[in-house]
Amino acid sequence: MTWIRSALDSLPAGDAAAAAAVRARAADILRPAGALARLDEVAAFVAEWQHNAQPQVTKPAALIFAADHGVTVAGVSNYPAEVTAAMLTAYKAGKSTISAFAAVAGASVDAVDVGVGRPTGDIRFESAMSLERFEEAVDAGRRAVEALDADLLVLGEMGIGNTTAAAAVAAALGGGEVATWVGRGTGLDDEAMARKRQAVRQAVDRIAGVLDPLEVLREVGGAELVAIAAAIVAARHRGLPVVLDGYVVTAAAIPLVAVRADALDHCIVGHCSAEPGHRRLLDRIGKPPLLDLGMRLGEGSGAMAAVPLVAMACAGITRVPTFSEWFG
């Protein structure tokens, strides 16, 4: 865990002057004061993390990390683990939902296989990953970000059973009654929900006493969650603002906040999913979603749906004159 720990220790700051310049422009923009207040703040956010007082979204990119989970043997999903591979195949054929959404948003998408066909350990009884497997996933997330030519990054995932892993991470770090972190995922009935809650409870009980947030991620997370966490940190070092997707992506980010409170300052939340635990995590990190449509697909689809809104927020600042410019 050497790289991710050292990278968290040395997170670069945003450009406060660029953000202030956008806010000052918004105060004099050619429209009623505060008419687009939330969008103006989004533009200031992009400016701060692009380090540019003229924020823009012209090269949005999505990274979708895919992996399998050993806990699926507990009957925690309506679909077998093999469906992850099918989802990845659909993406490669350009037929996935994220591909369709990205085409509309003008974004590139790259799906990164970090464990399809190589399921993690059954988190009820064993660590999800060895230290070596953890480092492999970290390296994949880091390298994927470093290879990008982008000005905005969307993070998403594919992985049957990964809302179980997400709930285990959230419950272990968020505390409280385990059941409140567990949602219906792919649309589970009550019997399957009981199995899922029990699986998460067993996983959390197994690691009782583990205090290191990154160790929690290794013990009960998944390879795609680890890669996402690494990608978030790498994006900060690249000066890339990030749009987080749903419950799984947010759960992957929570250990970072537990290590360092400002670790997600360069992140915005694209949407709030139908998973009840997601809303609880967003309240915990104090980040309201841009969209709230009850989506529960994954693939980065909800975050991608928010990309045009982020682009419009920037255009609303940079392409509209101020009162001073118009009447001066």
Side-chain angles (χ1 to χ4, degrees):
M1 301 184 185
T2 304
W3 177 81
I4 198 166
R5 289 193 194 281
S6 63
L8 280 168
D9 283 342
S10 59
L11 292 178
D15 187 338
V22 167
R23 292 188 181 101
R25 185 174 180 83
D28 190 38
I29 207 83
L30 193 62
R31 53 178 173 258
L36 297 180
R38 179 77 192 280
L39 292 183
D40 290 341
E41 273 305 306
V42 170
F45 158 82
V46 175
E48 179 175 2
W49 295 103
Q50 286 184 345
H51 297 261
N52 186 351
Q54 295 289 313
Q56 60 180 343
V57 178
T58 60
K59 295 184 290 185
L63 290 174
I64 314 302
F65 296 96
D68 282 327
H69 293 259
V71 75
T72 55
V73 299
V76 297
S77 174
N78 280 336
Y79 300 95
E82 292 75 20
V83 170
T84 307
M87 294 164 64
L88 190 58
T89 299
Y91 159 74
K92 290 178 178 178
K95 300 299 183 181
S96 63
T97 300
I98 186 59
S99 301
F101 280 18
V104 173
S108 65
V109 186
D110 188 16
V112 183
D113 181 351
V114 291
V116 178
R118 294 189 299 141
T120 50
D122 185 342
I123 60 174
R124 297 175 297 168
F125 310 118
E126 59 186 329
S127 301
M129 287 158 283
S130 65
L131 280 170
E132 292 75 16
R133 179 85 186 268
F134 183 95
E135 290 291 357
E136 177 188 323
V138 165
D139 191 55
R142 175 188 180 186
R143 288 179 180 274
V145 171
E146 290 175 346
L148 287 175
D149 177 19
D151 52 25
L152 184 72
L153 174 60
V154 166
L155 291 174
E157 42 65 37
M158 298 176 184
I160 297 301
N162 65 10
T163 58
T164 302
V169 172
L173 295 175
E177 171 52 45
V178 167
T180 62
W181 294 104
V182 183
R184 295 189 181 271
T186 50
L188 300 179
D189 59 22
D190 290 345
E191 184 178 340
M193 270 291 284
R195 292 194 297 269
K196 186 175 181 180
R197 289 192 186 106
Q198 179 60 19
V200 174
R201 190 173 293 111
Q202 287 178 265
V204 173
D205 288 347
R206 181 180 61 78
I207 63 166
V210 175
L211 301 178
D212 182 344
L214 295 178
E215 274 295 304
V216 169
L217 184 59
R218 182 180 73 83
E219 285 283 351
V220 298
E224 78 273 50
L225 276 77
V226 174
I228 288 165
I232 290 170
V233 177
R236 178 70 161 263
H237 283 268
R238 281 279 317 268
L240 266 179
V242 173
V243 186
L244 301 176
D245 195 44
Y247 190 29
V248 176
V249 171
T250 308
I254 288 299
L256 304 177
V257 180
V259 172
R260 180 165 171 169
D262 64 348
L264 302 184
D265 283 2
H266 65 302
C267 299
I268 198 167
V269 176
H271 80 117
C272 184
S273 78
E275 289 287 296
H278 190 208
R279 195 173 300 277
R280 293 187 67 194
L281 288 183
L282 297 185
D283 289 343
R284 185 179 180 87
I285 63 177
K287 289 186 178 293
L290 288 176
L291 303 174
D292 193 347
L293 302 173
M295 300 169 69
R296 54 184 178 88
L297 173 62
E299 298 184 15
S301 54
M304 185 61 74
V307 166
L309 196 59
V310 177
M312 283 187 277
C314 295
I317 286 291
T318 60
R319 300 184 188 181
V320 179
T322 64
F323 278 96
S324 302
E325 291 166 346
W326 189 249
F327 293 106

